[in-house]
Amino acid sequence: MAGNTLLTISMITNEALPVLANECILTDKFNRQYDKEFGRKGEKIGGTCNVRVPPRYIGTFGPALNVEAAVENYFPVSILYQYHVDMQFSTINFALDIDEFSERFIMPACKAVANRIDSDGAYFAMQNTANRTGTPGTPPTAFKSFSDARAYLVSEGMPKGMTPTAVLHPFANSAMADSVKGLYNPQIQIADAYENGLIAKKTAGADWFEDANIANYTTGSLLGTPVLAAATSPSGGTALLTTGFAQTGTLELSGLTTSSAACKVGDTIQIKGVYPVNPQNRSQYGNVLKQFVVLPPGGYTQVQGAASPGGPVFASATLNHGTFTATGTNAGLYTATSGGLLTVTIGECVISGGQFQNCTAPVSPYTVTLNGGTALATATTENLYFHRDAFALAMVDLPLPRTAVEASRAYDEDLGMSIRICTQYTINNDAEPTRLDVAYGFASLYRSLGVRVSG
């Protein structure tokens, strides 16, 4: 065994790191700059890092001074997930050379970890993105679905200097590839067309990738004639703001068809008269109503990780009106009362004035539409088109246990990946149980800088 002393846990960890990073297609494109905020020696911040949102100013015409408040808001980035793969090796395994050991044991484990991070990220992005193009249940084939997605980002003040990313499910990618195959494609770009799922560069303003972890779900249906509660004004719910700022809030709906009316986490809601506005000039853009995404009660929270990839398991909740039920992985269901009332949590809020205005004001009779009024109760795949600052992924360095036989950690600052591997010898069967752990969390930063392309 003396000749095999180089095969240490530290070497196994560092061998694993590139495998994990190369397997993350979608989440590799999220904002990663907040990793370093967690676990600083001497100043640990716990499980949440609050990211500042820059102030916005309206300005004033004329010579008179009109001082505006400098308001900084924040988005929380929380570490919600700890995921691990557990293995057990007999001591004879450690007699193998490093290449064979990696291929047989470490690479499959890292693929499982990477797939889980990517899958959780895909469901988080889908469930936290309100803007939507395409038709649920119909694979996208129109170039316009993606050029419209770019138009949303530009109209929402997308920062310059970074190309957005389009990530498609393989079947959606196949449908789009067939529809655009006749378009001009510079030969110099073809050589790397399929590396890591990359399909095309600078097409519809984005770099395209494919990822089998792109989320899917079955849309809900709000039967009846849903309207914002209150007879003459939209006073129902904390999401209706004339000034100020909040990431999430509630809508109080009425006019539903008793308890048959239901909607899902991830559905989108539109309100009569509510159109999106540019965040700087505050002028309405386009003639399509602004979309708000349905979130679980209290915003995006997690009870526990699902047993298999596919998003979190939500907590059931009793609402002001109606109920919220967790019926399985990624299945958060809102159901109206027998009187046709329902309280729904949405993001963003409906902010119709002030520094953080994001839309025009609701118009009587304040009717509400779900998923654009089409494709209700339809299975759909939600492809993504987004700027890096739409979402954040943070990973932390887990502490090394003091009682393990060997424990090591690898962290690559450029890739933003941190892996811990620990092993403990069991004398009764001459084996070493080993676990590979990661801890991570997601956040919705600029929600309006993401678009779902349904299909």
Side-chain angles (χ1 to χ4, degrees), residues 13-25 27-28 32 83 106-107 109-118 395 410 415-420 436-440:
T13 305
N14 289 303
E15 178 72 11
L17 188 63
V19 180
L20 174 62
N22 289 340
E23 289 295 321
C24 289
I25 302 298
T27 50
D28 180 53
R32 303 300 313 280
Y83 185 70
I106 300 302
M107 187 174 294
C110 285
K111 286 185 176 180
V113 171
N115 187 74
R116 183 55 198 245
I117 295 173
D118 219 43
M395 298 188 71
L415 297 173
M417 297 292 177
S418 178
I419 311 171
R420 181 188 69 185
L436 184 152
D437 285 76
V438 291
Y440 57 98

Side-chain angles (χ1 to χ4, degrees), residues 222 224-242 249-256 269-275 289-290 292 321 340-346 348-352 359-370:
L222 287 179
T225 308
V227 297
L228 296 180
T232 59
S233 64
S235 60
T238 62
L240 299 169
L241 305 175
T242 56
T250 60
L251 293 178
E252 303 290 351
L253 306 181
S254 61
L256 301 170
I269 281 179
Q270 296 170 299
I271 305 168
K272 183 179 179 181
V274 178
Y275 291 91
L289 294 173
K290 185 172 177 64
F292 302 89
H321 303 290
L341 303 176
L342 181 62
T343 303
V344 176
T345 298
I346 63 166
E348 308 163 84
C349 283
V350 183
I351 309 173
S352 57
C359 63
T360 58
V363 173
S364 178
Y366 314 117
T367 55
V368 171
T369 304
L370 189 72

Side-chain angles (χ1 to χ4, degrees), residues 181-253:
K181 62 187 177 185
L183 298 180
Y184 175 68
N185 186 8
Q187 293 298 309
I188 195 171
Q189 297 179 4
I190 294 178
D192 62 354
Y194 295 100
E195 289 182 5
N196 293 325
L198 182 63
I199 302 304
K201 288 184 177 180
K202 306 301 184 292
T203 301
D207 288 339
W208 287 21
F209 294 78
E210 65 177 355
D211 189 344
N213 285 319
I214 284 296
N216 60 78
Y217 84 115
T218 300
T219 62
S221 57
L222 287 179
L223 303 177
T225 308
V227 297
L228 296 180
T232 59
S233 64
S235 60
T238 62
L240 299 169
L241 305 175
T242 56
T243 188
F245 176 83
Q247 265 197 305
T248 65
T250 60
L251 293 178
E252 303 290 351
L253 306 181

Side-chain angles (χ1 to χ4, degrees), residues 34 49-53 73-77 445:
Y34 304 107
C49 166
N50 291 318
V51 180
R52 287 186 180 128
V53 181
N73 295 295
Y74 66 89
F75 300 139
V77 180
L445 300 180

Side-chain angles (χ1 to χ4, degrees), residues 299-321:
Y300 195 89
T301 56
Q302 173 210 22
V303 178
Q304 62 182 32
S308 60
V313 176
F314 299 119
S316 298
T318 300
L319 315 171
N320 289 342
H321 303 290

